[in-house]
Amino acid sequence: MRPLTDEETKIMFEKLSKYIGENIKLLVDRPDGSYCFRLHNDRVYYMSEKILKLATNISRDKLVSVGTCFGKFTKTIKFRLHITALDFLAPYAKFKVWVKPGAEQSFLYGNHVLKSGLGRITENTMQYQGVVVYSMTDVPLGFGVAAKSTQECRRVDPMSIVVFHQADVGEFIRNEDTLT
Amino acid sequence: MGRKLDPTNKVKRGPGRKSRKQKGAETELAKFITDDDETAPKRLSSRGRKRAAKRVQNLKKPKDAAEEQPKKGFTDENSKWLKPAKKKRKIDEPESEDDSDEHWEEEEDDEEEEQQQQQQQQQQMKKGGKDQGKKGAKLEMKEVEDDDDDDDDEMVDDYGTLDDGSGEEAVEEESDGEELLPIERAAKKAKKLKETMLESDDDDDDEKEDDDEEEKKSETDMDEEDTVQANMDEMDKFRLPGAEESEREGIMTLDLKTIHQRIKDNIDVLCNFSTKREEGKERAEYISLLKKDLCTYYSYNHFLIEKLMDLFPLSELVDFLEANEIQRPVTIRTNTLKTRRRDLAQALINRGVNLDPLGKWSKVGLVIYDSSVPVGATPEYLSGQYMLQGASSFLPVMALSPQEGELVLDMSSAPGGKTTYIAQLMRNTGTIVANDANADRLKSVVGNVHRLGVTNTVICNYDGRQFPKVMGGFDRVLLDAPCSGTGVIAKDPAVKTSKDEADIQRSAHLQKELILSAIDSVNAESPTGGYLIYCTCSIMVEENEWVVDYALKKRNVKLVPTGLDFGKEGFTRFKERRFHPTLRLSRRFYPHSHNMDGFFVAKLKKFSNVIPTAPAAKEEESTDAPEATAVTDSPEEKPSKSGKTKKIVSGKAGGLKRKAQAQANGTKAKKMANAKPKGKKDLPAGPKKAKVAKMDGETVKGTEAKKPAVKTADETKVSKANKKEGSRFEKKQGKKRKTPMKAKDRMGKNKFRKLKHLLGKQGGE
C-alpha cells in the first residue's frame, strides 16, 4: 500500500471529474476527518486516515481491501472505475440518467440504456459526458457515458442507445471475484 | 355457445357414484354372509332349490367364460390387486353395454348376487321362520326380473329394505351384486390373513404380556402394528429376520413407515420405561434399536445420532431430527445504512415478494415466505438495501452490541453478513477488521462490504490464531468459529454422515486456539468494551461450552449475559463433564424450538490483560513471568490508548511488581500477584476468582508433578505464547524508548535487566 504518485493522482482525478466534476474536493476535504487515496495491488482505495493507520499493521500480502475500492489502474496506466465507487459517485454526480422500471433489469444485466428505457435525463448533458444511472425511485444502479446529448435524445428513435454501459450493481454478483 | 357437456359421460358418472356409496353396508354384510356360507344351500325352500339348480345348469358355462375373459389385460398375479379398480370402472359405465364381455360378467355377477340373496334369505329364515314362504316368493320375483335387464336407478342402502322392496329395488340389487362378489373374496382373504396373523401372534403372546395395554389400543389398527410390537419387544428373537426383511424390501416407503412407527413406539416405551418396559429387557436394548432406526430413517451416521441423543431428551430428539429435514425460512436483514425496513418491505412487496417482520427481537429482519423474483438478485439487493442472512446470524452481532467509534475485530468474517451488520450498528464509524483464513471466501466479504456501502472495514487474510500478533487492543471481538456445522444440517445434509469424533475434536482444538487468541486481542481496559462473542453454528458441547470453559480457565475472562432474551441456557453439566456455573449465561438455539439454525452464543468480558501463564520453567523464572507478561501486555495495547490509560496500565504493572517483590516467594507470590489485581478491579465473581487463583496454583505445581495430557499441550502453547511475547516485546522496545519510560522507571533497573535477560533467553529458544 502506498500513496498515489502525482501522475496517477492526475489520471484518477481526471476520470473522477468526468462524473462528479469539481465535487472531487468534497471527497478529499471532508468535515468528518481527513480522507486519502492509497494504491494497493494496482487498486485505488479511499479511506479515512484512522483506518489507514490501522491498516499499516497488516502486511501487504495479507491485506485484501481497506475502506472503499474506487477502481484500478490497468497495465497501461489508465484508470478504470469500479462499481464499488458508486457510493461516492452517486451523491456528487453532476449528470444523471433515470431508467424506467422495465429497463432496470436490462441495465443491471450489463446492457446499454436505450431510448425506450430512458425515464429522465439531466438537462444540458453533453455527448460522452459521464453519467450516473438511477432507477426511477432514485436508487443508483451504475454509471456510464452519455451516447447522445440531451437535445439529441429527444429526437432519436426508441431503439438507439442513449447511455453506454460502464458499470452496474449487477457486477457485485457477476464479477465478485474481480472486484479486488 | 360454449362446449356442451358430453351427455354420455354424465350419465355414466351418476350411478357409479351412487353405487359406490353402498360399499359400507355391503362390506358389513359380506362379513356375516360368508360366515354361513356352507350352510346356505341346505336351507333353501323347495322352490328356491329348484330354481337354484336350474340357474346353475344354465349359467355354468357363461360364468366360466366370464371369469376368464375380463382378465385379459392383466396377469394372474396382478388381477388380484387390480380387481377393485376394474369393478369400479364397470360401475361407472353401467350403460355402455357394447362390450359383450362386460355384459357377461354382469350376468355372472347377477348370478352370484342371487346366491347371496339366497344366503341372506336363509339368514332371515333363521330369524323369522314364518315369513319364509313369502320372502322366498318375493325373492323369486326379483330374480326373474334380474335376469331380464341390468338397468339401474336409485339404490337401496341395505338389504334389510328388500323385504318391502318392489321390482325396482330388486333391479338395483344386481349392481350391488357387482360389488359384493369381490368384496366377499376380499373379506375371505382378509379373514385368512387375520387367522395367520393370529397364529404368528400367538407365538409372541407370552412375551407381550407387559405391553398388553398398548396392544389393546393398537390391536384394531393393523397387522403392521403387531409386527412392530413383536419386533420391538422381541428384539433378540426378531432382530435377524427383521433385518433380512428390510434388506429384501430395500427402501420401500412402507418399510420406512414401519421404522417410523417403531421409533415412535420405542420412544413411548423409553419415556415411560418403568410401566411400559418389557420384563427382562434392558434400557440399552431399546436404545440401541432406537439408534439403529434413527440412523436408517433419518440417514445419520451412528456417531452423530449418539451425540444428539446425549444432547436432547428423546422426545425432543425426534423433533430436532425432523426440523433438520426442512429448510429454515429465508430471512433478510435491512441495511439501515441505505434504507429503512418499512421502505424496503414496501419495495419488495411491489416486486411480488411475500414477507413479514422477523420476530419482535429484531428491528431489521424480514422473513420471506415466497417470492415471484429471485430474492438474491433484485435491484434492491444489488443496490445494497438488504442482505440475505439467516436469523441465527443476527444473534451474535446483537449480543456483541458494538458501539459507535469502536475498534472491532471479526475473526472469521466470510461471507460478511455479520461484518456488515456490525458496521450498520456502528453507523459506519470506528473501524472493523474483517479477517478470514480463506482467501477465496474473502471475495464475498469484499463484495458484500462494498455493496452494502460499508466504508470502515479493513479486510485481511490471516489465520485467526496469529491475531494478537498482527493487531491487538480491540474493543470487541466477534469469533464465529469454524465448526462441525451440526446446527445447520438442514442447510448442509452432508454433515449427517461426514462427521466423526475426530472431526469434532479437531474443530474443538482449533476453536480453543482461536478463542485464546481472540481473548488476547481484546483490550480489557477499553472504556466501552472489552467484550468477546464466541459463537458457532454447532450444537456440540465439545465445541461450545467446553471451549468457553477452557477459555475461562486459561484467561482472565468471565461470562456475562448475552442480552438475548430468548434461547436455551448453555449446559453447566453434561454427562461426566462439569462446566463453570456461569455458563448458563450462554445461549443455545435449536432448529426445532426457535426455527432458526442451531447456534451457540456466549459473551465474555475480559477483566484483565494479564495472561495467567504458568511457564514450565524454573521457580525463579516463574516469579518473573507474570510480571513480564504484565509489562509486555500493557505496551501492546498502547497504540490505541490515550496517555492516561497508559499511565494506569504501567502503574498497575508497577504495583503488581511491588507486591510480588514484597512477597518474593516463588509460586505463592505469583498466585497473589494474579489474584490481587482482580480484586482491585472488583470485576470477577467471588467463586470464579478463587477458582482462577486455584487454577494458577495448580498449573504451577501440576506442570512439574503430574503433567496430564491436556496440560502438557497447554504448556507448549504457553511457551509458544511466551516466545511470541518476547519477540513482540523486543520489537516494541524501540518504540518504548521514545515513549515515556514510566513503566521501566518504576520497575527498577535491576529487575528490568533480569527481565530482559529472561526474554532474550526465551526469544533465543
Side-chain angles (χ1 to χ4, degrees):
Chain A
M1 195 160 58
R2 64 167 171 81
L4 293 125
T5 62
D6 285 346
E7 197 199 344
E8 284 164 345
T9 313
K10 203 176 122 245
I11 292 169
M12 193 194 72
F13 276 30
E14 261 169 22
K15 185 68 139 196
L16 274 178
S17 65
K18 282 182 181 161
Y19 298 89
I20 57 176
E22 65 275 20
N23 286 340
I24 282 182
K25 64 173 179 290
L26 294 175
L27 282 181
V28 184
D29 320 321
R30 281 168 56 143
D32 56 340
S34 56
Y35 279 68
C36 59
F37 290 96
R38 283 290 180 279
L39 190 79
H40 175 68
N41 283 346
D42 276 346
R43 279 168 176 75
V44 177
Y45 292 93
Y46 175 70
M47 71 205 84
S48 79
E49 298 269 7
K50 215 172 69 192
I51 296 174
L52 173 67
K53 264 184 216 148
L54 278 163
T56 51
N57 287 333
I58 293 159
S59 66
R60 201 183 330 169
D61 55 331
K62 297 286 187 190
L63 184 66
V64 178
S65 159
V66 200
T68 308
C69 177
F70 260 53
K72 67 175 221 178
F73 279 103
T74 61
K75 305 285 186 221
T76 50
I77 322 293
K78 290 189 179 72
F79 185 69
R80 177 167 294 166
L81 271 172
H82 278 173
I83 186 60
T84 47
L86 186 66
D87 276 336
F88 292 93
L89 297 183
Y92 305 118
K94 304 282 276 186
F95 297 93
K96 302 177 181 182
V97 167
W98 287 263
V99 295
K100 289 177 184 166
E104 260 177 37
Q105 196 80 338
S106 167
F107 179 72
L108 291 181
Y109 279 44
N111 300 315
H112 304 303
V113 180
L114 304 179
K115 170 74 190 331
S116 59
L118 185 70
R120 288 162 64 195
I121 185 166
T122 315
E123 286 294 316
N124 305 323
T125 308
M126 302 300 292
Q127 198 174 18
Y128 307 134
Q129 164 72 47
V131 293
V132 175
V133 179
Y134 291 80
S135 73
M136 290 308 274
T137 51
D138 271 334
V139 177
L141 298 178
F143 49 87
V145 166
K148 307 256 181 337
S149 68
T150 310
Q151 256 64 31
E152 282 172 314
C153 279
R154 296 203 173 107
R155 276 167 294 167
V156 295
D157 67 297
M159 291 315 288
S160 61
I161 296 165
V162 289
V163 178
F164 293 122
H165 169 273
Q166 281 186 331
D168 66 83
V169 288
E171 287 173 24
F172 282 121
I173 291 180
R174 297 206 302 275
N175 305 340
E176 194 176 61
D177 293 350
T178 53
L179 287 175
T180 51
Chain B
M1 297 292 283
R3 264 183 297 159
K4 277 176 191 166
L5 274 174
D6 187 6
T8 55
N9 274 348
K10 209 178 179 183
V11 174
K12 275 179 208 165
R13 216 175 289 140
R17 240 184 263 145
K18 280 169 191 165
S19 64
R20 235 178 275 145
K21 268 183 206 163
Q22 292 181 329
K23 261 183 192 170
E26 287 155 17
T27 43
E28 274 175 41
L29 244 179
K31 269 181 200 167
F32 56 89
I33 283 171
T34 49
D35 287 344
D36 310 321
D37 227 5
E38 287 129 297
T39 54
K42 284 172 196 168
R43 296 205 178 178
L44 278 174
S45 68
S46 60
R47 290 176 81 186
R49 245 178 285 165
K50 276 177 199 170
R51 287 185 151 275
K54 239 188 191 177
R55 252 179 277 126
V56 171
Q57 276 179 352
N58 288 343
L59 295 170
K60 217 159 199 178
K61 286 165 206 168
K63 191 183 170 185
D64 292 345
E67 266 183 288
E68 288 184 7
Q69 271 172 324
K71 277 178 190 171
K72 41 181 176 175
F74 317 110
T75 67
D76 285 306
E77 301 150 29
N78 286 344
S79 69
K80 211 200 269 174
W81 301 92
L82 291 169
K83 191 138 255 170
K86 211 209 301 180
K87 199 174 50 18
K88 246 181 225 165
R89 188 183 60 98
K90 235 192 288 155
I91 295 159
D92 285 348
E93 307 166 357
E95 286 184 2
S96 61
E97 293 166 352
D98 339 304
D99 200 357
S100 62
D101 288 349
E102 257 178 49
H103 211 25
W104 279 40
E105 202 178 46
E106 272 161 22
E107 277 179 345
E108 170 233 329
D109 288 341
D110 294 349
E111 174 60 26
E112 298 263 328
E113 119 78 19
E114 274 162 7
Q115 281 177 356
Q116 279 186 350
Q117 279 180 347
Q118 285 161 9
Q119 291 161 13
Q120 205 223 335
Q121 190 193 348
Q122 166 257 323
Q123 268 187 319
Q124 282 167 341
M125 282 196 289
K126 262 192 216 163
K127 273 188 261 165
K130 270 188 186 178
D131 299 303
Q132 267 189 25
K134 262 191 197 173
K135 277 176 195 168
K138 268 185 191 173
L139 276 169
E140 278 164 19
M141 269 181 66
K142 285 169 212 160
E143 281 154 19
V144 170
E145 275 158 353
D146 285 357
D147 291 335
D148 294 341
D149 60 337
D150 38 19
D151 223 22
D152 42 346
D153 290 306
E154 285 269 46
M155 281 147 200
V156 198
D157 280 331
D158 27 301
Y159 282 73
T161 52
L162 276 179
D163 285 15
D164 46 50
S166 63
E168 269 185 28
E169 277 165 11
V171 172
E172 289 142 27
E173 272 177 41
E174 74 180 28
S175 64
D176 296 348
E178 287 172 14
E179 295 251 346
L180 268 179
L181 206 197
I183 283 169
E184 251 185 294
R185 279 186 208 150
K188 274 183 196 170
K189 256 177 236 161
K191 216 181 167 187
K192 266 186 205 169
L193 249 172
K194 245 184 200 172
E195 278 167 7
T196 52
M197 282 304 304
L198 274 172
E199 279 169 17
S200 67
D201 279 2
D202 285 346
D203 303 343
D204 319 342
D205 264 351
D206 43 341
E207 279 151 51
K208 258 192 268 174
E209 283 161 1
D210 288 309
D211 288 296
D212 263 356
E213 307 140 353
E214 271 186 88
E215 281 288 293
K216 273 169 204 163
K217 267 187 274 160
S218 57
E219 220 157 26
T220 49
D221 266 9
M222 286 290 98
D223 34 356
E224 181 188 309
E225 186 83 347
D226 287 350
T227 52
V228 166
Q229 291 292 337
N231 254 338
M232 190 186 76
D233 297 339
E234 270 204 301
M235 280 176 299
D236 299 341
K237 227 182 190 180
F238 273 75
R239 184 180 282 159
L240 278 176
E244 275 172 27
E245 275 167 33
S246 65
E247 269 173 34
R248 224 179 295 144
E249 284 172 26
I251 5 166
M252 281 170 65
T253 45
L254 179 72
D255 190 33
L256 278 182
K257 223 190 243 170
T258 317
I259 291 176
H260 187 57
Q261 187 58 41
R262 190 158 66 181
I263 290 169
K264 263 201 244 165
D265 296 338
N266 205 341
I267 284 176
D268 185 47
V269 172
L270 284 167
C271 289
N272 306 292
F273 197 66
S274 56
T275 54
K276 293 192 174 173
R277 66 178 291 196
E278 181 194 340
E279 206 63 55
K281 293 290 169 194
E282 300 286 322
R283 196 179 180 90
E285 290 175 63
Y286 286 91
I287 297 262
S288 70
L289 177 67
L290 179 62
K291 252 181 226 166
K292 213 184 83 207
D293 285 348
L294 289 174
C295 287
T296 33
Y297 189 73
Y298 295 101
S299 62
Y300 282 75
N301 66 7
H302 224 265
F303 163 75
L304 197 55
I305 282 286
E306 259 171 40
K307 283 283 177 196
L308 293 173
M309 270 182 153
D310 294 340
L311 212 53
F312 296 110
L314 287 170
S315 49
E316 227 178 296
L317 175 67
V318 173
D319 290 343
F320 172 77
L321 295 175
E322 284 292 343
N324 277 340
E325 299 301 310
I326 42 171
Q327 292 288 321
R328 303 275 81 75
V330 178
T331 51
I332 60 172
R333 172 175 55 79
T334 319
N335 180 18
T336 51
L337 295 173
K338 291 203 167 180
T339 184
R340 285 176 298 172
R341 184 165 77 167
R342 206 174 347 123
D343 300 340
L344 174 68
Q346 196 53 54
L348 286 177
I349 285 168
N350 290 342
R351 293 215 183 270
V353 179
N354 184 5
L355 45 75
D356 241 358
L358 168 71
K360 271 182 190 163
W361 50 272
S362 173
K363 283 181 185 163
V364 291
L366 289 167
V367 188
I368 309 270
Y369 294 122
D370 56 82
S371 165
S372 52
V373 292
V375 187
T378 62
E380 281 78 21
Y381 177 83
L382 292 173
S383 56
Q385 294 185 4
Y386 65 91
M387 175 92 192
L388 277 169
Q389 193 173 23
S392 58
S393 299
F394 290 34
L395 304 170
V397 182
M398 290 165 69
L400 186 70
S401 64
Q403 306 297 308
E404 287 180 33
E406 282 184 336
L407 175 61
V408 178
L409 169 66
D410 187 353
M411 248 193 177
S412 33
S413 58
K418 297 187 191 72
T419 313
T420 49
Y421 192 15
I422 294 171
Q424 102 180 30
L425 288 178
M426 289 163 65
R427 299 179 202 217
N428 244 338
T429 61
T431 310
I432 301 169
V433 179
N435 178 66
D436 201 281
N438 186 338
D440 288 331
R441 275 160 66 83
L442 271 178
K443 284 175 177 152
S444 64
V445 181
V446 174
N448 281 325
V449 159
H450 281 95
R451 184 169 59 83
L452 294 173
V454 175
T455 56
N456 62 347
T457 312
V458 180
I459 301 167
C460 56
N461 178 24
Y462 280 102
D463 186 334
R465 287 169 287 191
Q466 302 170 333
F467 232 83
K469 218 165 112 192
V470 179
M471 223 171 150
F474 291 96
D475 295 316
R476 287 163 204 265
V477 174
L478 173 63
L479 173 58
D480 183 7
C483 64
S484 60
T486 46
V488 288
I489 294 173
K491 260 190 210 166
D492 178 19
V495 175
K496 283 180 182 178
T497 49
S498 63
K499 298 295 171 198
D500 60 6
E501 184 71 48
D503 289 312
I504 305 282
Q505 293 303 335
R506 208 175 300 133
S507 59
H509 183 256
L510 176 62
Q511 283 155 355
K512 283 174 187 170
E513 288 178 302
L514 283 173
I515 199 173
L516 288 193
S517 62
I519 291 171
D520 293 344
S521 311
V522 178
N523 176 21
E525 265 83 34
S526 157
T528 56
Y531 293 102
L532 164 85
I533 295 290
Y534 174 79
C535 60
T536 62
C537 57
S538 167
I539 52 169
M540 294 290 136
V541 171
E542 287 86 345
E543 297 179 77
N544 297 324
E545 279 87 353
W546 202 8
V547 174
V548 175
D549 193 56
Y550 172 85
L552 289 175
K553 284 174 185 159
K554 288 287 164 194
R555 291 292 185 273
N556 288 328
V557 288
K558 60 170 183 169
L559 273 161
V560 291
T562 51
L564 303 167
D565 52 359
F566 63 111
K568 294 197 173 146
E569 288 181 355
F571 293 106
T572 53
R573 43 193 296 172
F574 181 75
K575 293 179 86 178
E576 74 281 0
R577 293 190 198 107
R578 296 291 173 272
F579 302 121
H580 198 268
T582 53
L583 261 164
R584 78 191 137 70
L585 294 173
S586 62
R587 283 284 175 272
R588 288 176 153 264
F589 300 89
Y590 295 125
H592 58 283
S593 45
H594 304 99
N595 201 16
M596 50 176 75
D597 292 327
F599 222 74
F600 173 85
V601 180
K603 187 172 187 176
L604 297 157
K605 175 147 177 66
K606 192 174 178 184
F607 53 82
S608 166
N609 281 331
V610 180
I611 299 174
T613 46
K618 286 128 207 162
E619 292 247 317
E620 263 288 285
E621 285 175 0
S622 77
T623 46
D624 291 342
E627 295 159 7
T629 53
V631 176
T632 47
D633 261 6
S634 46
E636 180 193 334
E637 256 79 61
K638 266 174 198 171
S640 65
K641 291 281 101 190
S642 63
K644 202 179 165 190
T645 46
K646 245 185 256 170
K647 254 180 231 168
I648 292 169
V649 170
S650 50
K652 209 170 280 158
L656 211 153
K657 224 125 286 168
R658 251 176 265 136
K659 245 163 229 155
Q661 261 178 331
Q663 264 139 4
N665 212 357
T667 50
K668 256 185 213 165
K670 184 188 159 283
K671 233 190 276 178
M672 289 301 291
N674 273 335
K676 277 281 159 62
K678 275 177 245 148
K680 214 157 58 181
K681 274 176 210 159
D682 72 303
L683 282 172
K688 165 83 175 87
K689 204 204 306 175
K691 197 175 179 186
V692 169
K694 221 169 88 191
M695 259 299 305
D696 295 341
E698 274 171 13
T699 43
V700 171
K701 280 177 220 156
T703 42
E704 281 176 25
K706 293 179 231 163
K707 297 200 178 178
V710 189
K711 268 173 190 166
T712 45
D714 296 338
E715 270 171 46
T716 53
K717 226 172 286 156
V718 162
S719 60
K720 227 193 276 172
N722 271 355
K723 254 186 238 172
K724 277 183 207 162
E725 268 155 28
S727 57
R728 209 189 307 143
F729 182 59
E730 282 174 349
K731 221 167 71 185
K732 289 262 153 77
Q733 266 188 344
K735 252 187 210 169
K736 261 184 80 185
R737 241 162 250 150
K738 271 175 250 164
T739 53
M741 303 176 116
K742 265 165 198 164
K744 220 204 273 178
D745 290 347
R746 296 220 180 151
M747 212 190 295
K749 267 185 187 163
N750 241 353
K751 203 85 192 178
F752 183 65
R753 210 172 293 145
K754 200 170 165 188
L755 188 127
K756 220 167 102 185
H757 179 66
L758 164 74
L759 284 170
K761 233 201 260 173
Q762 277 179 339
E765 281 168 23

